[in-house]
Amino acid sequence: MEINDEIIFKVALITALIGMIGMLAFASYIEPKEIAINEITRNNIGETVSVTAVVESVKMSSSGSSCFIELNDGTGKINLIVFESTLVELNDAGNDLNEFKNHKVKVVGSITEYKSSMELILANANSIKLES
C-alpha cells in the first residue's frame, strides 16, 4: 500500500475527530486546580482555580452592579468579584450572597490583578458552594 496525501488526510481527520470527542466526553470530569490563597501570584493570572475559604465580608459596589467578597483561608485573604450577570443568576436561583458571610465556601474563579492586588472573578452562579 502506498501512502499518499489522501491517506494522510484521512488518518489526520479521524485522529482529530477521536480527540475532540474524547475532550467533550471527559471535559465535565476535569476539576480546576485547588490552590491556597498565599500561593496565588502573578504567574497564575488567567488560570481558573478553586479556593476553599471563609467569607469575611460581602460588599456591593456603589452602583450595585457588582459585589466584592473577602475570602480568608488561613493562609491569606483575597477579594472575589461577582459581576452583574452572575449576581442576576444568583438572585434568580434564590441565593443571597450575604447568607455566605462567616461560612466556609468553595469557589471557582479566574485569577486577575487589579491595582497591584490579586483577585478572583467568580466563574458563574454555580461556582460558589457552602462547605460543611
Side-chain angles (χ1 to χ4, degrees), residues 15 53 77:
T15 304
K77 295 181 181 184

Side-chain angles (χ1 to χ4, degrees), residues 47-115:
E47 288 182 28
T48 299
V49 297
S50 173
V51 172
T52 302
V54 174
V55 174
E56 290 197 338
S57 67
V58 177
K59 297 176 186 166
M60 292 300 293
S61 66
S62 57
S63 66
S65 63
S66 55
C67 183
F68 306 99
I69 299 172
E70 186 176 48
L71 300 174
N72 183 346
D73 71 351
T75 70
K77 295 181 181 184
I78 194 166
N79 280 327
L80 174 69
I81 313 304
V82 184
F83 288 118
E84 185 175 17
S85 58
T86 307
L87 280 173
V88 169
E89 288 177 35
L90 285 162
N91 290 333
D92 289 348
N95 294 319
D96 180 5
L97 289 174
N98 287 307
E99 293 175 8
F100 292 111
K101 191 171 180 184
N102 300 319
H103 288 88
K104 190 179 208 180
V105 295
K106 183 172 187 174
V107 298
V108 174
S110 58
I111 299 172
T112 187
E113 183 178 20
Y114 180 71
K115 293 186 178 177

Side-chain angles (χ1 to χ4, degrees), residues 32-49:
K33 175 174 74 169
E34 180 86 26
I35 192 167
I37 292 172
N38 70 339
E39 296 174 358
I40 297 174
T41 67
R42 285 186 171 92
N43 294 333
N44 302 111
I45 291 175
E47 288 182 28
T48 299
V49 297

Side-chain angles (χ1 to χ4, degrees), residues 112-125:
T112 187
E113 183 178 20
Y114 180 71
K115 293 186 178 177
S116 300
S117 293
M118 304 309 294
E119 296 180 334
L120 281 174
I121 297 175
L122 190 67
N124 57 53

